[in-house]
Amino acid sequence: MQADKLIICAYHNVGYRCIEELVRQGADIALIFTHEDSPTEEIWFKSVRELAERHGIPYLTTDISLPENVERVRAIGPDFLFSFYYRTMIKPAVLEIPKRGAFNLHGSYLPKYRGRVPVNWAVINGESETGATLHHMVEKPDAGAIVDQERVEIAFTDTAFDVFNKITDAAAAVMARAWPLLREGRAACRPMNLAEGSYFGGRKPADGRIDWQQSAVRIYNLIRGVAHPYPGAFSHLAGEKVIIWSAWPVEGTGEPGRIVSHRPLLVGTGAGLLEIRSLQAENGDEMSATEFITDARQFT
């Protein structure tokens, strides 16, 4: 019996791990679409391109939805199409080609946190759990029927990086379970109720600006939600941009943005105090709060 033929669109650690799992199970991957790394982005994750090269799998770094690539996919005639953290919307003309379906691995417990950067949003919003979901791809993003999903805990001390690592493990576990069932035609298919979920857009570095009128917990969640390797949460002190990489909410009161103590470095918020533990002045090096010296008294 001839093996099912796969085309995969993938990037980042989730893409890397899911492809690794399919290779481990002996899947016939005919072609991989991935991305060129952006020169403006900190590349801290594994390379799908290098994984493809190591296993001798053909790959392209051009958009799968380009007309010439649609024809290329049609000529291959895949049984399955998978998208693992691919950053470009895949057009319906592509989704209709695979004989047995097109599937996406999303980094949230759908239908919650459909859309962009779901891990960061979940941490910023103070969620206690999220997950990884494999679902059918349809024209509307992250809206197709659910095949399998796995929850992951978000600890109050977790950064978005910590949660992303948990989701990467969960994604690989989902694929380990789901691929044999998909291959055998026995996979579950549960319609997604979008009314029970939420949709979020992408984030820009400017969205990391701290609003000191918010509570210490809300500000702390923003800080850990955009900490390394992401651009960081920031404010201004004496006219200079300062990135706050690590902090902790504590009890107390103070005028929002006002430094009430330098040792430890405590700042007033809309509710509670925020203890800043590490920070970085613009064009400077990251340092602990105990190393940071300033006469300024107000973050803005």
Side-chain angles (χ1 to χ4, degrees):
M1 181 172 155
Q2 187 174 358
D4 290 303
K5 194 176 297 183
L6 279 59
I7 287 181
I8 297 176
C9 301
Y11 195 60
H12 224 290
N13 285 350
V14 167
Y16 190 101
R17 287 284 302 281
C18 288
I19 292 172
E20 270 194 329
E21 177 57 35
L22 289 169
V23 168
R24 186 188 71 80
Q25 294 196 38
D28 180 10
I29 303 172
L31 181 62
I32 292 173
F33 287 90
T34 187
H35 302 292
E36 294 287 351
D37 294 332
S38 170
T40 61
E41 181 177 2
E42 181 181 347
I43 306 301
W44 52 272
F45 40 85
K46 292 183 177 181
S47 170
V48 167
R49 181 175 58 191
E50 291 177 5
L51 180 65
E53 290 172 346
R54 187 159 68 250
H55 289 284
I57 302 170
Y59 69 90
L60 293 170
T61 58
T62 52
D63 187 346
I64 189 174
S65 294
L66 291 173
E68 60 269 29
N69 286 335
V70 175
E71 291 308 310
R72 183 176 279 112
V73 172
R74 190 171 283 121
I76 291 172
D79 297 283
F80 292 94
L81 172 70
F82 287 104
S83 175
F84 304 133
Y85 265 66
Y86 192 63
R87 291 179 169 181
T88 306
M89 285 292 294
I90 301 174
K91 293 182 178 178
V94 177
L95 300 181
E96 67 188 19
I97 296 173
K99 305 177 187 70
R100 303 186 63 189
F103 302 86
N104 176 57
L105 196 294
H106 186 70
S108 78
Y109 202 82
L110 290 173
K112 290 187 174 182
Y113 292 96
R114 297 169 51 237
R116 302 288 186 176
V117 294
V119 175
N120 303 82
W121 277 119
V123 176
I124 289 167
N125 288 336
E127 301 286 358
S128 60
E129 68 175 20
T130 184
T133 303
L134 183 69
H135 66 94
H136 287 262
M137 273 195 286
V138 294
E139 183 173 4
K140 193 171 186 176
D142 309 322
I146 293 171
V147 175
D148 192 5
Q149 54 191 164
E150 181 156 315
R151 297 181 190 271
V152 301
E153 176 193 6
I154 303 177
F156 191 62
T157 53
D158 280 343
T159 65
F161 177 74
D162 297 324
V163 178
F164 189 85
N165 287 337
K166 293 179 182 181
I167 284 179
T168 301
D169 291 340
V174 166
M175 286 308 302
R177 292 193 301 261
W179 172 237
L181 299 177
L182 286 168
R183 189 180 62 229
E184 295 162 13
R186 298 189 296 111
C189 182
R190 174 166 53 88
M192 197 184 306
N193 185 350
L194 300 186
E196 296 177 352
S198 52
Y199 184 90
F200 290 83
R203 293 184 60 84
K204 303 180 295 295
D207 295 326
R209 188 182 187 106
I210 293 170
D211 178 1
W212 295 100
Q213 299 293 333
Q214 292 186 337
S215 71
V217 170
R218 287 283 300 275
I219 296 170
Y220 165 72
N221 288 338
L222 172 64
I223 291 167
R224 68 193 181 106
V226 294
H228 295 302
Y230 303 103
F234 68 91
S235 187
H236 288 83
L237 190 63
E240 185 177 27
K241 181 179 178 181
V242 176
I243 299 173
I244 298 174
W245 291 114
S246 176
W248 189 256
V250 297
E251 293 183 357
T253 58
E255 177 188 342
R258 187 78 173 172
I259 297 175
V260 300
S261 165
H262 283 90
R263 298 290 186 273
L265 183 52
L266 297 174
V267 184
T269 74
L273 297 174
L274 189 74
E275 179 187 342
I276 297 175
R277 295 182 171 179
S278 67
L279 67 170
Q280 181 177 1
E282 192 168 26
N283 301 319
D285 295 326
E286 182 178 351
M287 63 181 67
S288 68
T290 57
E291 299 174 286
F292 185 70
I293 300 172
T294 181
D295 294 328
R297 303 295 302 185
Q298 185 79 31
F299 281 97
T300 58

